[in-house]
Amino acid sequence: TLTWLLVAHGPLRQAENWVGDLRVALMTPRQPPSDQVVVLTITEDTLRQFPYRSPLSRTFLAQLITTLNQKGVRAIGLDILFDQPTEPAADQALLKALRDSAAPVIVAYADREHLTPEQQPFLDTFTAGLRRNYINLPVDNADGVIRSLFPGRIAPDGQFMPGMVSALAGITLPDAAVPLRYRGLAPGAAADDLPSAIKHYPAHLAAALPAAWLAGKIVLVGSYLPVSSEDMWKTPFAALLGNQKGLLPGVMIHAHGLTQLLEGRVAPSPSPWLAIGLYIVAALFGIALTRLDWPAVVSMGLA
């Protein structure tokens, strides 16, 4: 019991997490990126095309949604919060594109801890009637690593709202935490090229991409601004690469979770009874060490 408390809730939890993360970083098999999911990234080159950085140009997003429909995408997920107004004409153009889209569009939603009292009413009004879902990422409070999928929660209107990943996959997640099984890096990619696990292209080049690259795919759109963005999150790969190179943008983490659900991959998780059995075996082994007439240094080494 003491060992379980130390590992699950005590000072050994970070050590246990680090060992598990290192296993993910070293033992996740490499594989080609999924053919079902594509990420279009908002990069610094994208932002240089606009007169201001934030909020992101709604005219650009309206054109992007139209382009994606022309390319025949399966669905669109916008990892972008519409929590403040821009030019009225641009706002209306985006709303029209969202409502006219033949492909289902999931727009980002957040509340409470992410928005100010001024932002919440605008977000609620702007996205009313649209398909909106939470973009939360469950952060492990012990070390800040994203290791699980967000199932959703009760929204301010009293209705349950799923997370974006489960909504796009069309899969309802259980209330219990579902471990996030990160996809392996692409074959031949450098060890620190984490984005290689997901097909991704700059959003401002979407019109130039061959239709075959996007047709039938679920497309996620979100920022990838490693230097200036707060939307960079620590992954288990940080155990091997360090806290800087082990980061991924939120949209990429959503893409990892989405491919996991679409492919039906389940993160390996030992049975609680197996863990209890191992604790009992370890306890019995410790007792046996105290009964054997060995030098203390041998007993300590075996322990």
Side-chain angles (χ1 to χ4, degrees):
T1 302
L2 177 60
T3 304
W4 177 81
L5 288 172
L6 290 174
V7 171
H9 303 286
L12 294 181
R13 179 178 173 185
Q14 287 191 339
E16 176 75 4
N17 286 345
W18 182 84
V19 171
D21 290 349
L22 193 62
R23 183 175 67 248
V24 171
L26 291 174
M27 301 182 66
T28 301
R30 291 186 174 237
Q31 57 188 136
S34 169
D35 285 330
Q36 300 187 69
V37 177
V38 172
V39 170
L40 296 182
T41 55
I42 308 298
T43 65
E44 290 291 347
D45 288 339
T46 308
L47 296 179
R48 289 190 189 100
Q49 302 183 28
F50 314 131
Y52 52 84
R53 294 175 61 90
S54 181
L56 180 64
S57 170
R58 305 243 164 103
T59 302
F60 167 76
L61 286 175
Q63 294 170 343
L64 179 61
I65 292 170
T66 301
T67 296
L68 293 178
N69 275 278
Q70 293 170 349
K71 303 282 185 179
V73 303
R74 174 178 162 190
I76 304 169
L78 299 180
D79 187 15
I80 301 166
L81 281 173
F82 304 121
D83 55 5
Q84 53 188 303
T86 65
E87 298 89 347
D91 290 348
Q92 290 305 311
L94 175 57
L95 282 174
K96 184 177 187 305
L98 291 170
R99 290 169 178 158
D100 293 347
S101 176
V105 182
I106 302 294
V107 298
Y109 189 79
D111 59 43
R112 297 200 289 266
E113 71 269 31
H114 297 289
L115 300 176
T116 66
E118 293 76 23
Q119 292 172 313
Q120 188 75 61
F122 183 84
L123 176 66
D124 289 339
T125 301
F126 190 85
T127 60
L130 301 176
R131 304 183 188 189
R132 54 190 184 185
N133 294 100
Y134 280 112
I135 55 169
N136 299 41
L137 291 171
V139 177
D140 191 320
N141 293 329
D143 50 22
V145 176
I146 309 295
R147 298 189 181 89
S148 59
L149 300 174
F150 183 70
R153 70 181 182 205
I154 301 299
D157 63 2
Q159 301 297 314
F160 178 81
M161 184 183 295
M164 176 173 285
V165 168
S166 60
L168 285 168
I171 296 174
T172 301
L173 297 177
D175 292 337
V178 176
L180 170 56
R181 187 172 186 182
Y182 285 85
R183 193 176 184 85
L185 276 60
D192 60 352
D193 186 9
L194 298 189
S196 71
I198 304 293
K199 287 184 179 179
H200 62 285
Y201 313 102
H204 58 278
L205 299 181
L209 297 178
W213 292 12
L214 299 173
K217 311 289 195 297
I218 298 178
V219 177
L220 295 173
V221 182
S223 65
Y224 185 18
L225 305 167
V227 176
S228 59
S229 175
E230 295 181 356
D231 191 27
M232 296 293 294
W233 303 87
K234 192 175 176 182
T235 71
F237 295 92
L240 178 66
L241 303 174
N243 288 342
Q244 293 302 314
K245 293 184 178 181
L247 302 178
L248 275 176
V251 68
M252 287 280 189
I253 296 179
H254 287 310
H256 276 275
L258 180 57
T259 58
Q260 172 185 341
L261 294 182
L262 292 174
E263 295 170 357
R265 289 182 287 114
V266 178
S269 179
S271 163
W273 292 110
L274 175 60
I276 292 172
L278 289 173
Y279 285 135
I280 293 174
V281 169
L284 293 175
F285 186 64
I287 294 172
L289 289 178
T290 65
R291 301 292 182 178
L292 296 175
D293 188 19
W294 287 346
V297 66
V298 174
S299 296
M300 291 176 62
L302 290 174

